[in-house]
Amino acid sequence: MIDLNMSDILETIHMIDEENLDIRTITMGISLLDCADSDPVRACERIYEKICRKAEHLVKTGEDIEREYGIPIINKRISVTPISMILAASGGDPVLYAKTLEKAAIEVGANYLGGYSALVQKGFAAGDEALIRSIPEALSVTDHVCSSVNIGSTKAGINMDAVALMGHIIRECAEKTADRECVAASKLVVFCNAVEDNPFMAGAFHGAGEPDCVINVGVSGPGVVRHALKKIPDANITEVAKLVKNTAFKITRVGQLVANEASRRLDVPFGIVDLSLAPTPAVGDSVAHVLEEMGLEQCGAAGTTACLALLNDAVKKGGVMASSHVGGLSGAFIPVSEDAGMIDAARNGCLTIEKLEAMTAVCSVGLDMIAIPGDTPAEVISGIIADEAAIGMVNSKTTAVRIIPAVGKQPGDELEYGGLFGSAPIMPVNTASPAHFIHRGGRIPAPLQSLKN
């Protein structure tokens, strides 16, 4: 356990007031494995009852900690066992489960609830395909429910049948909510190497190896890192890395404090602190601006991937010394619509999807909150998913795609979400067709580095 004395707390006041330091989320993970029932209606009743019982005090506890310590806690969230597992045992209409999750999230006041998910990296088990095909309907009739599908891993390879299907599912999500800025697609993530203890949406789910109930915390703080770098404009790269590492340590200590307090007050085990620098559209809270503070004219310029690699590594090294349990994704997020600097770089063309793909090889997750033209073929979307999954599979890291086909829009237009989702400039994509490759189906074999046993 890391204890904070009064001087430590005073040190964070300026970070909170001036540099956008916050706790992005307290996420309660809840296992639903004991809610399965031969009667799907009864299973949903048990799911609702358990979520409401376990998370009854989640929001109030977060608000109490926020008020007592003066640390902003932006979201209080819930993640649950992948619903495809419960569906396999209980049957019924998958959307019924989504509506149950929505009802429970509203009842306890959670901002989001993740876990309308399936893990199909090696093939479709019972319940998986039915749930995946229901995702567009489920996300269009709910506001708080988030969905994820894991289509590959370093151990299993890439399930290309699932990749092909997800291109169509993403398009259908966008089309079903075209009158609401295609919002359903913004609540769906396609993973390679998904982790079981991720507190961040839309990809959070409660893994089968997790405790019955657990508290995970996700920190933020790009503004704090940028402010620190402003103090050393002429320092060499070694000094830059050291400063980022030291700053990440301070940020993570705050996350550890909040995690310990939430765990104690809720009488729920503390799981992990996710170290990821999560940006917001607010001015001064941008990962892109951190990279620019290192010396880039604008995010997307030559050298961007190298700067991001330095940032990601230093954040992990500093953060891991500040918390007893580090997990989740941990590093730096680069969601375009949620980052003011990324938005600006995408608007003027300095930042392209191809450059973002290169950056995902060295950061947390992958192509995140990217809007593309609404007429982009499903096969092209599947090709983008396959490319990202290949990066994750070969490099033994988590990668993901959260991409939004903006129905009726073209490059130069934007989707306007407001709040944490921000604004998404429509980014052009290469539409040369990968259709024949995608339609071959089958599975890309696991790489040689999978043989570690």
Side-chain angles (χ1 to χ4, degrees):
M1 176 185 289
I2 300 292
D3 292 319
L4 295 180
N5 59 34
M6 183 58 67
S7 64
D8 290 322
I9 293 175
L10 289 173
E11 187 179 13
T12 68
I13 291 176
H14 183 72
M15 296 181 185
I16 293 167
D17 289 344
E18 304 295 335
E19 300 164 17
N20 300 103
L21 174 63
D22 59 49
I23 298 300
R24 180 54 49 84
T25 180
I26 295 177
T27 301
M28 175 178 280
I30 302 173
S31 173
L32 302 182
L33 293 175
D34 58 348
C35 296
D37 193 281
S38 58
D39 178 356
V41 173
R42 176 59 183 152
C44 287
E45 290 173 351
R46 296 175 70 175
I47 288 170
Y48 177 78
E49 185 278 330
K50 184 169 186 181
I51 293 173
C52 291
R53 172 166 45 86
K54 292 288 188 179
E56 179 183 5
H57 302 296
L58 173 66
V59 172
K60 183 180 184 302
T61 298
E63 291 171 347
D64 288 346
I65 294 171
E66 184 175 14
R67 181 177 59 256
E68 291 172 29
Y69 286 90
I71 301 169
I73 300 172
I74 306 303
N75 280 309
K76 295 82 178 175
R77 300 166 171 170
I78 298 168
S79 63
V80 298
T81 304
I83 291 299
S84 65
M85 296 182 180
I86 312 303
L87 186 64
S90 303
D93 178 5
V95 178
L96 177 63
Y97 295 83
K99 291 179 178 178
T100 299
L101 298 179
E102 176 76 2
K103 182 181 176 184
I106 293 171
E107 175 63 24
V108 301
N111 298 99
Y112 292 104
L113 192 156
Y116 198 75
S117 306
L119 312 178
V120 295
Q121 58 268 24
K122 212 168 183 179
F124 297 96
D128 288 337
E129 189 168 351
L131 182 131
I132 290 172
R133 291 190 182 278
S134 76
I135 288 173
E137 176 68 16
L139 296 187
S140 68
V141 299
T142 59
D143 294 321
H144 300 81
V145 174
C146 294
S147 180
S148 59
V149 178
N150 193 66
I151 51 80
S153 72
T154 300
K155 280 289 187 183
I158 301 172
N159 180 351
M160 290 302 294
D161 294 313
V163 168
L165 178 57
M166 289 312 300
H168 291 279
I169 295 298
I170 290 171
R171 275 202 58 87
E172 191 177 342
C173 282
E175 290 164 357
K176 275 189 170 291
T177 52
D179 60 337
R180 289 177 280 157
E181 299 291 80
C182 307
V183 68
S186 73
K187 299 188 294 173
L188 171 61
V189 182
V190 184
F191 277 117
C192 178
N193 287 323
V195 296
E196 296 189 336
D197 55 2
N198 168 25
F200 287 105
M201 300 298 169
F205 64 87
H206 188 71
E210 295 288 298
D212 186 62
C213 189
V214 68
I215 286 291
N216 298 320
V217 168
V219 300
S220 185
V224 179
V225 176
R226 184 191 185 193
H227 182 81
L229 289 173
K230 279 182 176 291
K231 299 176 182 177
I232 55 167
D234 300 316
N236 67 34
I237 293 300
T238 303
E239 292 168 335
V240 167
K242 180 180 179 181
L243 181 64
V244 173
K245 183 170 63 175
N246 291 342
T247 305
F249 177 86
K250 296 175 183 178
I251 294 169
T252 307
R253 282 192 304 179
V254 177
Q256 176 79 16
L257 169 69
V258 171
N260 285 333
E261 278 298 301
S263 172
R264 180 181 65 81
R265 297 182 188 200
L266 291 166
D267 194 25
V268 171
F270 160 48
I272 57 94
V273 174
D274 188 313
L275 311 178
S276 299
L277 294 183
T280 73
V283 174
D285 202 25
S286 161
V287 169
H289 289 160
V290 173
L291 304 180
E292 290 162 9
E293 200 64 50
M294 291 182 184
L296 303 175
E297 180 179 357
Q298 189 165 34
C299 181
T304 296
T305 306
C307 287
L308 185 59
L310 182 158
L311 176 65
N312 214 54
D313 178 67
V315 166
K316 289 183 179 181
K317 286 176 177 173
V320 78
M321 295 299 293
S323 175
S324 55
H325 297 288
V326 170
L329 301 167
S330 291
F333 286 167
I334 52 172
V336 173
S337 81
E338 299 175 17
D339 185 304
M342 297 280 180
I343 293 169
D344 289 341
R347 280 173 177 160
N348 67 24
C350 186
L351 185 64
T352 65
I353 287 184
E354 290 77 15
K355 185 62 176 179
L356 281 164
E357 183 180 304
M359 293 164 67
T360 64
V362 300
C363 77
S364 292
V365 201
L367 297 173
D368 196 13
M369 286 303 289
I370 295 171
I372 60 175
D375 58 1
T376 303
E379 291 81 5
V380 170
I381 298 172
S382 293
I384 293 170
I385 294 170
D387 285 343
E388 267 305 296
I391 291 173
M393 177 184 72
V394 171
N395 290 288
S396 300
K397 71 180 294 291
T398 303
T399 53
V401 172
R402 182 163 50 149
I403 202 163
I404 306 159
V407 177
K409 297 182 182 291
Q410 293 295 326
D413 299 328
E414 295 194 11
L415 294 174
E416 294 289 346
Y417 291 114
L420 285 178
F421 278 5
S423 303
I426 312 305
M427 302 181 71
V429 299
N430 184 339
T431 55
S433 179
H436 184 61
F437 167 65
I438 297 299
H439 291 156
R440 284 179 180 272
R443 183 153 53 95
I444 295 178
L448 189 60
Q449 52 265 49
S450 69
L451 301 177
K452 292 183 178 180
N453 291 339

